[in-house]
Amino acid sequence: MSRRLTRADLDALPSYVPGRNPADLARELGLTEAIKLASNEVPYGPLPGVPEAILEAATQVHRYPDMGVLALRETLAARLDVGIERIATGCGSVALCEHLLKAATVPGDEVVFSWRSFEAYPIIAATAGVTAVKVPNKADHGHDLDAMAAAVTDKTRVVFVCNPNNPTGTSVRRDELAAFIDRVGPEVLVILDEAYREFVTDDEVPDGLTEFGDRPNVVVVRTFSKAWGLAGLRAGYLVAQPEVADAVRKVVTPFSTNACVQAAALAALRAEDEMERRAALVISERTRLTEELRKFVPDVPESQANFVWLPLAERSVEFGKHCESRGVIVRPFPGDGVRVTVGTPEENDTFLKVAAEAGL
């Protein structure tokens, strides 16, 4: 028998599930268009100045980009009031989480995270050769920090705290997060995944960088894919203590923050006021969606992200198929719930009509 060419343990690893292409669904159903509310994108197009910055950068794509990403890192450092040596960039926040595991773990180590949480965590844990320790969410669909702290062992090297949590939208409050970090101790790297930070309105949900950025074992990871409107280009950054950020920069794929990404991210940062205006629209619609959906599903949790969570358990896949059959793409998680991205008011109206027809 010939020896296989790939790792056998990857056979059991689930693939990351992207949102379905709405154009494909529209053709399948014979519709003019379909609505995609599955991937947590912001629906209002690129921020002003971004397309122009991409076009200008595109004239130089025969050259390698700045591998040090200095202009973007300098801009972020000034905006966040941290040293540039504390910032690393990558191909979205998920890539940075992957690089952090590469930098902080070896095969046989453990990584702890809440479940259900970001679906990439178990995938990147497996590819890094570390053991994923999944701690069930509480009844309110949020992190059980006490149980997560209790799950930390001598083998634990990394803990992920997704705040707000994807896909449930729930959040960890300031005091409980501080107590958790204290309990975990300084020997474990605590990664605060704040991909949805710009949509937070609850004052009790802490800014991880402001509140805990001075701690040597805390890393704050953020992205340009959501509120900043660069999902199609993939750009993220982390802020950590210099030795951690330096280790990440060593394992990042060279030139992975490409020239168009760097130019687009800088342009997006210059349009911060418009980003905040658009985020406010999303937040307003999030409130409306939550109120309307609670008429069908009373235990819809409060979301601090740009999506809402329907805890439909075994009905999740059926509801997802119902929505797709009517031209609305949502994201079911079998056995758990359905995540619905906040779209435009018109898209949300259509979804609410479709949801009402489902007889929840």
Side-chain angles (χ1 to χ4, degrees):
M1 180 181 292
S2 61
R3 187 176 66 179
R4 63 180 293 157
L5 300 177
T6 59
R7 288 168 45 186
D9 64 311
L10 296 184
D11 291 346
L13 187 65
S15 298
Y16 187 91
V17 180
R20 188 176 180 187
N21 188 315
D24 291 341
L25 180 62
R27 283 194 297 270
E28 180 181 309
L29 297 176
L31 300 174
T32 304
E33 63 179 355
I35 296 171
K36 183 182 177 185
L37 302 177
S39 297
N40 298 345
E41 301 149 330
V42 172
Y44 299 111
L47 287 167
V50 167
E52 294 81 3
I54 294 170
L55 286 172
E56 182 176 351
T59 66
Q60 296 298 313
V61 294
H62 60 298
R63 305 292 186 188
Y64 282 108
D66 173 18
M67 183 171 163
V69 200
L70 290 178
L72 179 56
R73 288 171 59 217
E74 286 173 350
T75 300
L76 287 169
R79 182 176 182 271
L80 301 171
D81 193 25
V82 299
I84 188 174
E85 71 280 0
R86 295 184 59 193
I87 297 177
T89 62
C91 185
S93 56
V94 64
L96 288 165
C97 290
E98 183 178 7
H99 298 322
L100 281 160
L101 290 190
K102 288 182 180 179
T105 68
V106 295
D109 287 341
E110 295 179 349
V111 54
V112 173
F113 50 86
S114 188
W115 197 252
R116 182 170 290 274
S117 190
F118 184 31
E119 63 188 302
Y121 294 157
I123 297 173
I124 63 177
T127 56
V130 299
T131 300
V133 179
K134 300 178 181 179
V135 178
N137 289 338
K138 296 186 296 184
D140 65 2
H141 313 290
H143 286 42
D144 188 340
L145 291 184
D146 287 339
M148 289 175 66
V152 171
T153 70
D154 291 341
K155 293 183 178 181
T156 306
R157 299 291 296 138
V158 172
V159 173
F160 284 108
V161 178
C162 192
N163 200 31
N165 186 45
N166 177 16
T168 65
T170 53
S171 297
V172 174
R173 299 293 184 89
R174 177 176 292 102
D175 290 346
E176 59 180 338
L177 183 55
F180 172 77
I181 295 172
D182 287 340
R183 186 174 172 187
V184 165
E187 303 301 318
V188 175
L189 199 65
V190 178
I191 301 174
L192 304 180
D193 186 345
E194 296 188 341
Y196 300 93
R197 176 64 206 172
E198 291 83 1
F199 302 107
V200 171
T201 56
D202 185 347
D203 291 340
E204 290 300 312
V205 178
D207 178 318
L209 181 58
T210 301
E211 303 277 350
F212 308 108
D214 61 334
R215 302 202 185 202
N217 66 321
V218 171
V219 181
V220 177
V221 180
R222 294 179 181 168
T223 186
F224 285 96
S225 295
K226 309 305 180 188
W228 297 95
L230 298 183
L233 285 180
R234 311 297 297 132
Y237 65 93
L238 64 76
V239 183
Q241 293 305 310
E243 60 271 20
V244 176
D246 184 58
V248 169
R249 287 193 294 269
K250 288 179 180 179
V251 302
V252 167
T253 304
F255 306 109
S256 58
T257 307
N258 68 56
C260 290
V261 164
Q262 293 184 42
L266 285 166
L269 288 170
R270 290 192 289 270
E272 183 171 6
D273 288 346
E274 176 62 12
M275 180 279 291
E276 291 179 345
R277 187 189 73 83
R278 295 180 182 190
L281 294 175
V282 171
I283 290 164
S284 176
E285 282 296 290
R286 178 183 74 195
T287 299
R288 182 171 76 93
L289 267 181
T290 301
E291 292 173 350
E292 291 298 317
L293 288 170
R294 281 177 176 165
K295 296 176 182 177
F296 312 127
V297 186
D299 56 343
V300 171
E302 197 71 29
S303 175
Q304 289 292 300
N306 70 328
F307 53 84
V308 294
W309 175 249
L310 299 179
L312 296 178
E314 299 305 323
R315 295 178 294 165
S316 300
V317 171
E318 178 186 354
F319 180 75
K321 290 179 178 178
H322 165 79
C323 291
E324 278 202 14
S325 71
R326 286 153 177 79
V328 179
I329 304 169
V330 295
R331 178 68 168 89
F333 293 81
D336 286 332
V338 178
R339 189 188 66 198
V340 183
T341 305
V342 178
T344 64
E346 295 76 18
E347 290 172 340
N348 298 332
D349 286 341
T350 299
F351 165 71
L352 287 170
K353 180 180 178 180
V354 169
E357 296 170 351
L360 294 176

